[in-house]
């Protein structure tokens, strides 16, 4: 027998009949329409909006329900049913007082709602394999779900359903069925959800964003530069710990730090009160108002900013091969006249009270700063919840993904002015083009396999380069101008110049080459986030060449409170543009829905089947192995095991 893997496959398919049945089912699956994939990007901590976008399938669920019930339900009935699908827990909480005192109404409402939900489910599963549908059904309710799914065609006596519902109601578990059915509908509406980077920062709760994604049935991640700082901070990279905390203080998002991850931040307050007790820290005021003392928050932010600049300088000095000496910013300050030279011009500093900086060695930490960062590092590297979520992000993430004809990545690949790949030396070898994606994926996964105590300092430092390095495929700009933004008045110094990539993605031939290099030989579509599309200024997410699209639609409130979902369906690619959304309770009470604006990017001449995609190629590989297994059984190289 040529292939030893057949022994493993035989455990699952112990007979010719079982293997042949799977071959038949797989060949049939190849003829089905390809699954619908949703791609979103740059969530930036907006957990409530993310929840709604997922719950309403980026606007795809409402038209389906309208097609089924639009002529039979009144407008209030339709809106309540949509609310049940989106937010069953909130709807039940509002209706429960009335339903608890009216048992007959409760029984009728639960049964009618379930019947309507399963009508929707039956419409959704027409193009899904039965075992795939079964895998998404809640295990503890699977028997009742199957009965409801097959009713009335299944031939079950109606009492089979009525009695089960009555018993579950008596045990106060009927509302759980409603919630489970709504979740089931959401899970089968979208085959895969891909997040193209930047899960956190700016918005309120990264931890809740990741919590929600972790509970989705099929999620894939493409890392962004904001993900890199959180993963690097979790591993103990000091410059990134300071960066995460500075951003959280700047946007007053400390709940995710303290409540979400249980990180101890008292050391920052101690440092701020000791070093900057009377400092107004006017250039470090938070972007939002909150309940905390604004002056103290500003001083804490300043303490973290200065600490960040020092630690960044130390990181850059450890890696001269990065050629980032121009960003070793504190060493460029003229401390005699408190100026900084930027692009050949001297600029005065807006804040000259820098008591912890020694002009002779500006990157050296003071004793107080060393004590602060030591305590913060200990907190970041020992937080169980932070480790669980960052490890999940590392496990489920990649630098880039290909789905059918879409090449998905966060920002760019480093190229020169002529559109030619620029090399970046990683692990002792020059990498260029898609090799950069592969090499960084290896570094990130290797670092998390090792963990904070054992990961090499070099691997940890790569997370900083991914955040702010000039050839970083997650950044793509000449500099991260944080220092200039805080401390130099001239706004021209605040500009972070985008690399040549962002000009070249308007060129059709250039995008075709990138797609081919990523394995998509024809009609590829480059999909990235990272750079918010300024719709108000007339920018278009679809680039001029027609084969690249930016799906950073300013999802975060800090960036514009809009957002995009790219829908990769069998008929083509569609962009859903989202808008402002309130909290779920308000949405249910007032019947508010995000009804996105849909724009068709490309329509296929013939709908794409599973067999046309990379999933189809994977199925072909499985079929080939199964045929080898059948042949091995028939040749006596393996023996069938009769199933009892």
């Amino acid at each position: 027998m040529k292939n030893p893997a057949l022994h493993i496959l035989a455990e699952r398919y112990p007979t010719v009949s079982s293997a042949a049945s799977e071959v038949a089912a797989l060949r049939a699956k190849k003829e089905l329409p390809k699954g619908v994939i949703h791609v979103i990007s740059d969530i930036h901590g907006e957990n409530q909006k993310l929840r709604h976008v997922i719950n309403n399938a980026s606007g795809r669920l409402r038209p389906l329900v309208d097609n089924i019930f639009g002529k039979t339900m009144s407008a209030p009935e339709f809106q309540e049913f949509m609310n049940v699908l989106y937010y069953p827990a909130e709807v039940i909480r509002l209706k429960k007082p009335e339903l608890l005192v009216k048992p007959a109404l409760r029984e009728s409402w639960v049964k009618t709602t379930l019947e309507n939900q399963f009508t929707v489910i039956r419409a959704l599963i027409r193009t899904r394999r039965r075992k795939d549908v079964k895998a998404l059904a809640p295990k503890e309710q699977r028997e009742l779900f199957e009965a409801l799914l097959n009713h009335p065609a299944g031939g079950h006596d109606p009492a089979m359903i009525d009695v089960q519902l009555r018993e579950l109601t008596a045990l106060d578990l009927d509302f759980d069925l409603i919630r489970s059915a709504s979740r089931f509908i959401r899970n089968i509406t979208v085959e895969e959800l891909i997040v193209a980077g930047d899960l956190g920062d700016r918005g309120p709760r990264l931890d809740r964003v990741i919590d929600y994604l972790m509970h989705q049935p099929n999620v894939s991640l493409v890392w962004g530069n904001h993900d890199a700082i959180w993963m690097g901070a979790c591993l103990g990279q000091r410059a990134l710990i300071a960066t995460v905390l500075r951003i959280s203080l700047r946007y007053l998002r400390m709940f995710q730090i303290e409540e979400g991850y249980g990180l101890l931040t008292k050391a920052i307050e101690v440092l701020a009160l000791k070093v900057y007790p009377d400092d107004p820290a006017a250039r470090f005021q938070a972007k939002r108002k909150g309940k905390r003392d604004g002056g103290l928050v500003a001083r804490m932010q300043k303490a973290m900013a200065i600490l960040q600049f020092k630690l960044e300088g130390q990181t850059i000095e450890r890696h001269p091969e990065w050629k980032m000496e121009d960003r070793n910013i504190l060493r460029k300050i003229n401390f005699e006249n408190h100026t900084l030279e930027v692009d050949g011009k001297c600029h005065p500093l807006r804040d000259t009270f820098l008591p912890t900086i020694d002009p002779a060695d500006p990157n050296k930490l003071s004793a107080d700063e060393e004590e602060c960062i030591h305590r913060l590092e200990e907190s970041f590297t020992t937080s169980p919840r932070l480790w669980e979520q960052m490890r999940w992000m590392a496990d489920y993430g990649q630098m880039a993904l290909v789905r059918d004809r879409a090449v998905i990545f966060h920002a760019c690949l480093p190229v020169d002015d002529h559109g030619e790949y620029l090399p970046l030396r990683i692990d002792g070898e020059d990498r260029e083009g898609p090799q950069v994606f592969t090499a960084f994926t290896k570094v990130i996964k290797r670092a998390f396999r090792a963990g904070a105590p054992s990961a090499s300092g070099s691997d940890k430092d790569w997370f900083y380069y991914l955040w702010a390095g000039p050839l970083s495929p997650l950044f793509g700009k000449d500099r991260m101008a944080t220092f200039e933004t805080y401390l130099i008045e001239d706004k021209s110094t605040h500009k972070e110049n985008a690399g040549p990539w962002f000009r070249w993605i308007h060129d059709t031939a250039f995008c075709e080459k990138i797609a081919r290099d990523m394995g998509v030989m024809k009609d590829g579509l480059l999909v990235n986030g990272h750079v918010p599309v300024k719709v108000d200024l007339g920018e278009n997410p679809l680039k001029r060449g027609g084969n690249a699209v930016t799906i950073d639609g300013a999802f975060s409130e800090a960036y514009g409170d809009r957002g995009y979902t790219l829908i990769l369906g069998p008929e083509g690619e569609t962009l859903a543009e989202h808008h402002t959304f309130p909290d779920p309770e308000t949405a249910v009470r007032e019947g508010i829905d995000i009804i996105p604006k849909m724009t068709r990017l490309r329509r296929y001449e013939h709908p794409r089947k599973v067999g046309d995609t990379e999933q189809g190629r994977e199925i072909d590989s499985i079929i080939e192995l199964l045929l080898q297994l059948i042949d091995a059984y028939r040749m006596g190289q393996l023996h069938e095991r009769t199933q009892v």
Side-chain angles (χ1 to χ4, degrees):
M1 184 172 56
K2 294 181 180 180
N3 192 342
L6 298 183
H7 286 282
I8 300 172
L9 199 61
E11 293 296 319
R12 188 167 185 179
Y13 302 102
T15 65
V16 168
S17 178
S18 61
S21 295
E22 183 65 10
V23 168
L26 289 172
R27 290 199 190 281
K29 183 173 182 176
K30 287 180 61 181
E31 298 303 312
L32 294 174
K34 59 166 275 191
V36 176
I37 297 172
H38 285 196
V39 190
I40 58 177
S41 186
D42 297 86
I43 297 166
H44 286 296
E46 297 290 350
N47 57 292
Q48 289 189 349
K49 189 171 183 180
L50 171 69
R51 182 184 172 197
H52 187 75
V53 168
I54 291 176
N55 288 359
N56 77 359
S58 297
R60 289 186 64 251
L61 196 52
R62 189 182 188 96
L64 172 69
V65 177
D66 186 49
N67 187 54
I68 297 172
F69 295 116
K71 295 180 180 179
T72 58
M73 285 184 177
S74 66
E77 288 173 336
F78 182 86
Q79 188 57 54
E80 181 179 271
F81 184 58
M82 295 308 305
N83 286 338
V84 167
L85 298 184
Y86 298 160
Y87 295 113
E90 284 79 2
V91 172
I92 290 167
R93 186 162 57 247
L94 291 172
K95 292 186 71 71
K96 206 169 184 179
E98 178 187 14
L99 296 178
L100 288 178
V101 298
K102 298 179 179 178
L105 179 62
R106 173 177 179 170
E107 180 181 344
S108 173
W109 184 80
V110 168
K111 186 174 182 181
T112 299
T113 302
L114 281 170
E115 287 174 349
N116 291 338
Q117 287 173 311
F118 276 86
T119 298
V120 174
I121 291 169
R122 282 190 286 274
L124 286 167
I125 66 172
R126 292 177 60 250
T127 57
R128 303 289 288 269
R129 281 190 68 181
R130 181 178 178 84
K131 78 171 192 176
D132 295 338
V133 173
K134 187 176 180 180
L136 293 172
K139 292 181 181 179
E140 64 276 10
Q141 297 157 338
R142 190 164 290 167
E143 183 174 347
L144 178 56
F145 269 43
E146 288 191 1
L148 287 164
L149 193 58
N150 295 326
H151 181 76
H156 291 102
D157 189 313
M160 288 285 292
I161 295 174
D162 293 341
V163 172
Q164 289 185 69
L165 286 178
R166 188 167 60 246
E167 290 302 312
L168 289 170
T169 300
L171 295 170
D172 201 28
L173 295 174
D174 50 340
F175 295 135
D176 288 346
L177 290 173
I178 302 291
R179 288 192 287 267
S180 294
S182 290
R183 185 165 56 249
F184 188 35
I185 287 170
R186 297 196 299 267
N187 289 347
I188 61 177
T189 302
V190 179
E191 182 162 294
E192 183 181 17
L193 173 67
I194 298 174
V195 183
D198 284 1
L199 275 65
D201 290 336
R202 307 298 195 266
R205 295 298 291 262
L206 168 64
D207 60 304
R208 290 181 177 172
V209 165
I210 296 178
D211 260 347
Y212 202 67
L213 291 175
M214 289 173 72
H215 286 89
Q216 303 309 307
N218 194 2
V219 173
S220 299
L221 304 178
V222 171
W223 302 308
N225 59 327
H226 285 269
D227 305 319
I229 61 173
W230 278 91
M231 290 191 289
C234 175
L235 291 170
Q237 213 288 340
R238 285 181 157 197
L240 296 182
I241 291 172
T243 302
V244 162
L245 291 167
R246 177 190 62 79
I247 293 173
S248 296
L249 286 161
R250 185 169 174 79
Y251 290 89
L252 273 184
R253 301 304 191 187
M254 294 302 285
F255 277 118
Q256 66 184 354
I257 296 288
E258 297 164 343
E259 181 183 272
Y261 293 120
L263 299 171
L264 303 178
T265 60
K266 185 67 176 177
I268 310 175
E269 185 176 338
V270 170
L271 177 64
L273 291 173
K274 187 172 184 179
V275 178
Y276 308 99
D278 302 313
D279 187 353
R283 304 303 174 190
F284 297 87
Q285 296 295 317
K287 290 287 189 179
R288 303 169 54 250
K289 293 187 180 297
K291 295 180 180 179
R292 296 193 180 198
D293 180 282
L296 176 58
V297 170
R299 291 190 285 275
M300 291 170 68
Q301 186 187 158
K302 180 176 180 178
M304 282 298 97
I306 300 304
L307 196 51
Q308 175 188 326
F309 301 144
K310 289 185 175 186
L311 294 167
E312 285 178 332
Q314 293 178 14
T315 303
I316 290 167
E317 287 172 351
R318 288 196 294 269
H319 298 280
E321 72 277 10
W322 290 352
K323 300 178 181 178
M324 289 183 66
E325 187 55 33
D326 63 317
R327 300 314 299 164
N328 192 353
I329 204 77
L330 298 184
R331 291 204 183 276
K332 294 168 67 67
I333 296 175
N334 184 327
F335 286 97
E336 291 184 2
N337 56 20
H338 297 290
T339 61
L340 177 70
E341 184 178 316
V342 180
D343 298 330
K345 181 181 178 181
C346 284
H347 300 270
L349 301 185
R350 294 197 288 181
D351 186 336
T352 59
F353 183 66
L354 306 170
T356 70
I357 297 180
D358 177 2
D361 191 0
N363 289 331
K364 182 181 179 181
L365 303 189
S366 70
D368 294 322
E369 288 173 328
E370 178 60 44
E371 174 67 15
C372 176
I373 194 63
H374 173 74
R375 292 186 177 278
L376 294 171
E377 181 182 357
E378 184 178 43
S379 187
F380 268 77
T381 57
T382 58
S383 165
R385 183 163 163 78
L386 181 64
W387 173 254
E388 176 193 20
Q389 291 201 346
M390 294 303 109
R391 180 60 191 263
W392 177 84
M393 191 184 294
D395 286 348
Y396 280 76
Q398 301 280 338
M399 290 293 293
L401 290 173
V402 174
R403 291 294 183 267
D404 195 11
R405 296 177 177 180
V407 179
I408 305 161
F409 49 92
H410 182 66
C412 64
L413 282 169
V415 297
D416 63 17
D417 286 333
H418 303 288
E420 299 296 326
Y421 293 134
L422 288 171
L424 182 61
R425 198 162 187 82
I426 307 170
D427 285 346
E429 294 184 33
D430 285 343
R431 320 282 183 152
E432 60 179 38
Q435 296 172 350
V436 174
F437 288 149
T438 304
F440 273 128
T441 296
K442 181 179 178 181
V443 168
I444 289 173
K445 291 185 180 291
R446 180 175 67 209
F448 272 87
R449 283 196 302 272
S454 303
S456 71
S458 178
D459 279 356
K460 293 178 185 180
D461 286 349
W462 272 123
F463 287 86
Y464 172 75
Y465 191 89
L466 285 168
W467 163 243
L471 297 184
S472 165
L474 302 185
F475 183 47
K477 300 178 183 178
D478 63 341
R479 61 190 175 193
M480 184 76 75
T482 307
F483 184 94
E484 291 89 337
T485 302
Y486 276 121
L487 294 176
I488 295 181
E489 186 73 38
D490 186 350
K491 290 188 177 181
S492 68
T493 66
H494 306 177
K495 184 173 178 57
E496 299 169 348
N497 299 300
W501 169 275
F502 297 97
R503 299 194 305 272
W504 278 102
I505 57 172
H506 293 282
D507 184 89
T508 303
F510 174 81
C511 295
E512 287 175 347
K513 171 184 166 26
I514 301 298
R516 285 196 303 271
D517 290 348
M518 290 292 295
V520 180
M521 307 314 293
K522 183 181 179 183
D523 296 330
L525 179 71
L526 303 189
V527 181
N528 72 279
H530 187 54
V531 182
V533 178
K534 298 175 183 177
V535 177
D536 296 340
L537 299 180
E539 290 185 0
N540 192 326
L542 186 66
K543 305 309 174 187
R544 291 190 295 273
N547 54 352
V549 61
T550 296
I551 59 169
D552 181 353
F555 201 92
S556 169
E557 179 186 1
Y559 288 138
D561 200 12
R562 291 190 298 271
Y564 293 119
T565 300
L566 178 65
I567 301 171
L568 307 175
E571 301 85 12
E573 292 114 10
T574 302
L575 197 65
E577 182 181 342
H578 307 296
H579 303 283
T580 303
F581 176 71
D583 62 276
E585 191 87 15
T586 301
V588 170
R589 287 183 183 279
E590 299 181 11
I592 297 171
D593 189 4
I594 294 182
I595 303 176
K597 175 185 175 183
M598 296 291 194
T599 302
R600 176 73 74 179
L601 300 182
R602 300 195 302 188
R603 181 180 291 277
Y604 302 142
E605 184 178 353
H606 303 289
R608 302 277 286 171
K609 298 178 181 179
V610 171
D612 298 323
T613 70
E614 70 280 350
Q615 187 183 10
R617 293 188 287 275
E618 292 171 4
I619 289 174
D620 286 337
S621 298
I622 296 170
I623 288 173
E624 176 59 30
L625 284 173
L626 287 167
L627 292 175
Q628 290 181 34
L629 178 63
I630 292 170
D631 191 52
Y633 284 141
R634 288 175 171 169
M635 296 294 292
Q637 296 168 335
L638 285 174
H639 299 292
E640 296 181 82
R641 291 180 290 111
T642 304
Q643 294 175 309
V644 179

